């Protein structure tokens, strides 16, 4: 094997330009696969990190009637916070949020929104709820920058909101925007306002009630509580994972084509080699190789394209990928369009397993396309190969 | 077969499939060659010289009859055993040199030693010795495309001889060479034959080669026509 590698290396380098063309194309697919996958990994991490810190913590309990995709269920999706959670809430490890549907009237227009109540003292989520801890004469409220832009609201603005209380009676009040925050998580930003929990509870006539309970610790084994549905962290991020999976399929179509092109070029080189190098094949046999060993030699030679491609790819790929991971990649989309937590700039993450895995896949694929045509050698008659007469 | 032959054939017949029928290239060859011979198969084109060399060289197998080379029965060797026989005991020289074009002269000569797994230090000495036999020590770093035909064939001889094989098989080794180079090559081989006691078996219809042979086996139409030992 060592000898085969040595010989294959000599032959491959000896073949000159053709080798380098193959190697460069293969290295492109190499670097592209790692870059593309790295972006998705980075995206996945960033989305989960942002969701964790802004919205879902280590998981949530949902009121059994709560369905985030159906705003009309909010009428019934509230219940008193179970008393067994009191210690956790007091320790700051659980945050109750009350949610209802309402309407906002910025500059005489009107827009349907969600009104969410959250404790101003909480620190579990990154929401700047401490800005709710003021007395501006109206109800203090914080909103995300997306919401602010969409409704031309600024900090210090007063605006009217309307809602229905527990009895179904409409009521309205003025809120004061005391803070505007910027987040990548649209589900805490788009079309919603955050008020102090106690204010919202009294507005709705639902003292001590909540819709969602977000907790900090992902690891604790939690049990079900009557009337509340346990939503594990995994379940809450499954949408992100689903989207990443979809993206990854779309991506792989692209780089699989590039990889196939590179493999085709190598396949072609192998087929050509076997026709053009018959005398050489015969010579190897005369010098004491079995035909199987010659098949092995040609396969190693073809597969070595992948090794060289890894080296060449590393030469320009490592600086390039490093630079990308530092400066990030702008995808030119906003998180609000996606409805997912997407940062404006993505920082790709390249794990060791990604690099090693990609290398192995490319090496394996290259070995297969190298071996495939080489099998013919095993059927060659060495005396005819020596004369170079096989058609 | 109890004797001192290192190559022996008995009723060797070789048939090739041709169209729907068969073509008989060798028709019952009986031969025996001893150690250190400098022998040639001589005959017109198509008489079966190459076919016989290939079988003796274990690159092909007989259709019928026995072929014993260095106590190995060629017809019954596995592919692996045949490869091993070639690797350890046989050297080949071809009409068109068959050097590895992308390898240097040194690497070409080193090749058989790599196959045999000699350690680097020993390899180096053996390669340089072999290159000295053929007078090419100043061309070690060149590659075959940069050499003349005569130089290429000398590299090929060095490659065939470097492992000191028992038998060297040379099929028309001078066919691509001019007279001066042919004589040079042949003198080299005569010298190695007498110094190393290597058995040489040629196939040729070149008069220059024939004039150096110590034994001429004339083939005609797949049969031995005449077997002539040159007395000197
Ligand atoms: N693989 C083969 N299939 C069919 N016929 C073959 C094959 N190899 C050789 N022959 C035939 O066997 C005969 C002997 O061929 P061989 O090559 O041994 O001749 P040769 O004496 O070496 O001739 P030359 O001097 O031209 O090299 C020829 O008629 C040739 O056509
Ligand atoms: Mg011939």
């Amino acid at each position: 094997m060592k000898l085969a590698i040595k010989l294959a290396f000599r032959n491959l380098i000896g073949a000159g330009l053709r080798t380098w063309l193959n190697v460069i194309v293969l290295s492109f697919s190499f670097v592209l696969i790692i870059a593309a996958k790295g972006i998705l990994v980075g995206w996945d991490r960033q989305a989960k990190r942002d969701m964790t810190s802004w919205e879902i913590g280590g998981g949530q309990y949902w009121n059994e009637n709560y369905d985030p995709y159906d705003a009309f269920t909010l009428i019934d999706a509230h219940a008193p916070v179970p008393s067994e959670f009191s210690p956790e809430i007091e320790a700051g490890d659980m945050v109750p949020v009350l949610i209802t549907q309402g309407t906002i009237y910025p500059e005489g227009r009107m827009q349907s929104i969600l009104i969410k109540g959250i404790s101003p003292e909480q620190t579990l989520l990154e929401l700047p709820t401490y800005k709710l801890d003021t007395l501006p004469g109206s109800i203090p409220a914080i909103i995300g920058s997306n919401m602010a832009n969409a409704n031309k609201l600024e900090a210090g603005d007063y605006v009217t909101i309307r809602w229905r209380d527990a009895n179904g009676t409409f009521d309205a009040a003025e809120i004061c925007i005391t803070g505007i925050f910027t987040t990548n998580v649209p589900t805490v930003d788009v079309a919603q306002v955050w008020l102090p929990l106690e204010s919202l509870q009294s507005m709705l006539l639902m003292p001590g009630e909540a819709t969602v309970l977000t907790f900090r610790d992902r690891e604790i084994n939690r049990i079900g509580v009557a009337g509340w549905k346990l939503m594990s962290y995994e379940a809450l991020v499954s949408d992100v994972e689903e989207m990443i999976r979809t993206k990854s399929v779309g991506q792989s179509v692209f780089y699989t084509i590039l990889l196939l092109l590179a493999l085709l070029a190598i396949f072609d080189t192998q087929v050509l080699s076997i026709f053009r190098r018959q005398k050489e094949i015969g010579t190897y046999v005369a010098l004491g190789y079995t035909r199987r060993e010659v098949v092995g030699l040609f396969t190693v030679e073809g597969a070595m394209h992948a090794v060289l491609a890894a080296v060449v790819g590393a030469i320009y790929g490592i600086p390039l990928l490093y630079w990308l991971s530092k400066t990030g990649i702008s995808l030119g989309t906003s998180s609000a369009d996606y409805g997912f937590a997407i940062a404006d700039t993505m920082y790709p993450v390249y794990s060791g397993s990604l690099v090693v895995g990609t290398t192995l896949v490319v090496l394996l694929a290259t070995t297969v396309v190298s071996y495939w045509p080489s099998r013919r050698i095993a059927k060659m008659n060495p005396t005819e190969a020596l004369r170079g007469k096989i058609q | 077969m109890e004797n001192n032959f290192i190559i022996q054939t008995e009723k060797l017949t070789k048939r090739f499939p041709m169209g729907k029928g068969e073509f008989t290239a060798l028709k019952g060859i009986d031969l025996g060659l001893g150690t250190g011979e400098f022998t040639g198969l001589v005959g017109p084109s198509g008489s079966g010289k190459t076919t016989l060399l290939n079988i003796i060289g274990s690159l092909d197998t007989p259709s019928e009859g026995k072929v014993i080379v260095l106590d190995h029965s060629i017809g019954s060797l596995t592919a692996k055993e045949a490869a091993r026989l070639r690797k350890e005991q046989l050297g080949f020289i071809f009409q068109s040199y068959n050097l590895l074009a992308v390898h240097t002269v040194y690497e070409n000569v080193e090749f058989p030693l790599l196959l045999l797994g000699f350690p680097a230090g020993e390899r180096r000495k053996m390669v340089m010795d072999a290159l000295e036999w053929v007078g090419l020590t100043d061309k070690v770093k060149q590659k075959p495309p940069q050499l003349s035909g005569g130089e290429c064939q000398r590299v090929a001889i060095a490659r065939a001889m470097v492992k000191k094989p028992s038998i060297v098989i040379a099929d028309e080794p001078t066919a691509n060479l001019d007279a001066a180079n042919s004589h040079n090559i042949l003198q080299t081989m005569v010298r190695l034959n007498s110094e190393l006691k290597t058995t040489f078996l040629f196939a040729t219809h070149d008069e220059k080669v024939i004039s150096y042979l110590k034994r001429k086996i004339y083939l005609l139409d797949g049969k031995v026509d005449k077997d002539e030992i040159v007395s000197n």
Side-chain angles (χ1 to χ4, degrees):
Chain A
M1 193 65 185
K2 223 175 97 189
L3 179 58
I5 289 170
K6 189 169 173 173
L7 293 176
F9 187 72
R10 270 184 203 166
N11 287 339
L12 206 55
I13 299 297
L17 189 62
R18 193 178 185 88
T19 297
W20 294 113
L21 281 177
N22 289 341
V23 163
I24 285 166
V25 176
L26 192 59
S27 79
F28 283 158
S29 28
F30 236 117
V31 172
L32 194 76
I33 290 174
I34 293 172
K37 291 230 174 222
I39 290 171
L40 284 189
V41 173
W43 188 351
D44 182 66
R45 281 203 196 168
Q46 168 265 321
K48 285 180 182 165
R49 191 185 336 107
D50 288 350
M51 276 179 76
T52 302
S53 57
W54 284 90
E55 188 181 18
I56 63 172
Q60 294 177 326
Y61 282 100
W62 286 3
N63 180 279
E64 61 187 354
N65 296 320
Y66 176 58
D67 176 358
Y69 299 109
D70 183 359
F72 295 104
T73 61
L74 286 170
I75 299 278
D76 302 314
H78 55 89
V81 177
S83 58
E84 59 248 61
F85 291 139
S86 302
E88 219 175 332
I89 292 170
E90 265 148 42
D93 291 332
M94 185 180 275
V95 178
V97 174
L98 180 61
I99 307 176
T100 192
Q101 216 194 348
T103 313
I104 193 166
Y105 298 88
E107 297 179 330
R109 292 182 295 117
M110 84 180 221
Q111 199 206 330
S112 197
I113 54 163
L114 294 180
I115 306 169
K116 296 183 174 177
I118 188 166
S119 160
E121 287 95 52
Q122 72 82 29
T123 51
L124 199 163
L125 300 177
E126 221 164 288
L127 291 165
T129 50
Y130 62 90
K131 289 184 178 164
L132 295 172
D133 201 8
T134 56
L135 290 168
S138 312
I139 304 162
I142 56 171
I143 57 174
S145 54
N146 189 280
M147 171 75 182
N149 293 337
N151 296 289
K152 300 200 172 62
L153 291 171
E154 284 171 20
D157 284 358
Y158 289 84
V159 61
T160 305
I161 58 169
R162 202 166 81 114
W163 67 92
R164 282 168 82 170
D165 67 22
N167 302 324
T169 313
F170 281 102
D171 201 351
E174 199 176 50
I175 57 169
C176 174
I177 309 297
T178 56
I180 294 176
F181 55 87
T182 306
T183 176
N184 297 318
V185 185
T187 43
V188 299
D189 178 345
V190 177
Q192 57 192 284
V193 299
W194 294 84
L195 309 183
L197 179 64
E198 281 177 19
S199 306
L200 187 60
Q201 284 170 338
S202 62
M203 285 154 64
L204 298 179
L205 308 178
M206 298 172 187
E209 298 199 10
T211 306
V212 169
L213 310 167
T214 302
F215 50 82
R216 191 189 299 276
D217 201 329
R218 202 190 302 181
E219 306 304 329
I220 295 177
N221 253 340
R222 294 181 179 271
I223 32 118
V225 178
W228 295 85
K229 192 165 54 176
L230 176 62
M231 298 297 293
S232 67
Y233 178 84
E234 287 70 29
L236 290 168
V237 297
S238 67
D239 279 358
V240 173
E241 275 168 6
E242 183 53 40
M243 178 205 54
I244 298 282
R245 234 190 317 275
T246 314
K247 283 267 146 202
S248 137
V249 170
Q251 256 191 6
S252 51
V253 169
F254 183 58
Y255 57 65
T256 303
I257 289 172
L258 190 65
L259 183 60
L260 284 180
L261 278 177
L263 293 178
L264 193 69
I266 291 167
F267 182 83
D268 185 53
T269 302
Q270 288 292 105
V271 172
L272 207 73
S273 277
I274 286 149
F275 280 98
R276 282 212 307 217
R277 293 163 64 188
Q278 283 180 42
K279 266 192 168 180
E280 184 184 333
I281 290 167
T283 306
Y284 288 128
V285 173
L287 289 173
Y289 263 134
T290 62
R291 283 173 295 179
R292 293 190 154 281
E293 286 170 323
V294 181
V295 172
L297 177 63
F298 273 65
T299 306
V300 170
E301 197 174 309
M304 202 168 272
H305 281 106
V307 176
L308 292 181
V311 173
V312 170
I315 290 171
Y316 66 83
I318 288 176
L320 181 73
L321 296 185
Y322 178 79
W323 177 75
L324 281 181
S325 74
K326 288 298 157 209
T327 53
I329 299 162
S330 175
L331 293 184
T333 47
S334 90
S335 58
D337 298 341
Y338 267 92
F340 282 105
I342 303 174
D344 297 336
T345 306
M346 208 70 64
Y347 295 92
V349 175
Y350 317 107
S351 60
S353 62
L354 170 62
V355 174
V356 172
T358 307
T359 310
L360 287 181
V361 166
V362 173
L363 184 64
L364 192 74
T366 312
T367 307
V368 170
V369 296
S370 305
Y371 170 69
W372 202 252
S374 308
R375 290 171 315 151
R376 279 185 67 105
I377 295 170
K379 298 198 191 91
M380 270 185 197
N381 181 333
T383 62
E384 287 177 16
L386 271 170
R387 288 187 299 176
K389 278 200 178 158
I390 300 163
Q391 297 308 310
Chain B
M1 295 194 191
E2 308 143 34
N3 45 49
N4 296 325
F5 292 144
I6 89 172
I7 299 170
Q8 188 166 23
T9 71
E10 221 173 70
K11 297 199 184 68
L12 163 58
T13 298
K14 179 66 182 179
R15 285 185 285 267
F16 292 111
M18 216 173 69
K20 283 202 178 114
E22 280 180 333
F23 175 81
T24 310
L26 298 175
K27 302 167 181 167
I29 304 276
D30 293 306
L31 274 181
L33 269 78
T35 305
E37 286 199 21
F38 200 80
T39 297
L41 305 173
V42 184
S45 188
S47 55
K49 305 181 294 290
T50 297
T51 305
L52 181 52
L53 279 193
N54 284 341
I55 295 173
I56 289 170
S58 82
L59 293 169
D60 210 344
T61 49
S63 307
E64 256 172 56
K66 267 193 199 167
V67 179
I68 308 290
V69 176
L70 297 158
D71 297 329
H72 297 281
S73 170
I74 296 299
S76 51
L77 293 180
T78 62
K80 233 184 166 146
E81 290 164 343
R84 189 164 163 206
L85 174 67
R86 291 192 297 272
K87 181 161 69 180
E88 292 175 353
Q89 311 268 26
L90 306 183
F92 288 87
I93 297 169
F94 304 96
Q95 173 180 335
S96 51
Y97 329 128
N98 288 24
L99 299 175
L100 303 172
V102 301
H103 297 225
T104 63
V105 166
Y106 184 91
E107 288 163 350
N108 266 284
V109 178
E110 186 189 26
F111 196 98
L113 303 179
L114 286 171
L115 287 191
L116 288 167
F118 277 97
E122 223 167 309
R123 277 203 312 265
R124 182 154 191 88
K125 188 178 173 332
M126 291 167 84
V127 172
M128 291 318 286
D129 282 351
L131 286 172
E132 203 169 318
W133 296 335
V134 297
L136 278 179
T137 42
D138 54 336
K139 303 265 162 132
V140 286
K141 290 222 170 71
Q142 314 248 37
K143 289 186 177 169
Q146 303 160 340
L147 301 178
S148 72
E151 287 169 332
C152 280
Q153 199 58 302
R154 273 144 69 194
V155 176
I157 293 172
R159 180 176 70 181
M161 295 299 301
V162 68
K163 63 190 175 191
K164 302 198 178 128
S166 308
I167 302 168
V168 168
I169 292 170
D171 194 352
E172 319 266 11
T174 57
N176 289 341
L177 300 178
D178 61 21
N181 271 311
S182 297
H183 284 293
N184 177 311
I185 298 278
L186 284 159
Q187 280 154 12
T188 306
M189 290 196 275
V190 168
R191 184 161 44 82
L192 291 170
N193 168 250
S194 66
E195 281 172 16
L196 302 172
K197 299 284 168 285
T198 310
T199 304
F200 278 79
L201 181 57
F202 294 86
T204 189
H205 37 42
D206 179 355
E207 284 305 328
K208 295 186 289 302
V209 179
I210 295 171
S211 69
Y212 283 87
L213 295 176
K214 293 178 190 144
R215 179 181 172 191
K216 303 166 196 172
I217 298 166
Y218 288 90
L219 289 189
L220 194 61
D221 196 19
K223 285 186 234 162
V224 178
D225 184 45
K226 212 167 35 163
D227 189 345
E228 192 179 288
I229 294 174
V230 180
S231 46
N232 45 356

